[in-house]
Amino acid sequence: MKKYDDIKDNTFCFYAFHGLSTHSTGKTRLCCVSNNRKTKTYTTGLDISNWSFLKSQKVANDIEEFINDPEIAEIRRMLLNGEKPESCKFCWMREDAGITSIRQIENEMHEDEIDETLQYVSESGYLQKEAVKYLDITLGNVCNLKCRSCNPWA
């Protein structure tokens, strides 16, 4: 099992190993700034049967299946091995320009939790659901929880 000290200066990302994020369509993604468009897994309970353009997609049966979309597991594997996935280019571009990225901020904030989390991820990038500590749900335009989460004019 890898330790944080082995990879922290390179490519480790708290969100990739602790997080669960959904696009407003219900599609899984690594975090709110990642641009992994190749994922094919949608959130549990979503009925996509009438969406003809989603024939090659699938709906997750549970959270573990949702967080382990093959594309996302591959990104985790790459991060563990010091590679920089294209999906994470938002952070890489910032870092290359000398700007602190979300990845760097979150890694610093959660540094004490990372070695424990690495126990829940395999070398192939498969993540056990116990590792999820961050949840980002982007709602669509049908319900935006304006009554509770934002304000009445949202």
Side-chain angles (χ1 to χ4, degrees), residues 88-139:
C88 304
K89 72 178 178 182
F90 180 84
C91 286
W92 308 137
M93 288 186 336
R94 287 184 158 309
E95 292 170 23
D96 290 344
I99 301 168
T100 304
S101 71
I102 293 171
R103 181 187 79 84
Q104 292 169 321
I105 292 167
E106 293 302 319
N107 285 352
E108 186 176 330
M109 284 177 49
H110 301 281
E111 188 170 7
D112 296 342
E113 305 168 46
I114 294 173
D115 276 336
E116 177 186 341
T117 298
L118 288 173
Q119 298 173 43
Y120 296 113
V121 65
S122 71
E123 290 290 323
S124 67
Y126 182 87
L127 186 69
Q128 295 175 27
K129 64 183 175 192
E130 290 82 6
V132 176
K133 296 181 185 221
Y134 157 78
L135 180 62
D136 169 50
I137 302 172
T138 305
L139 301 173

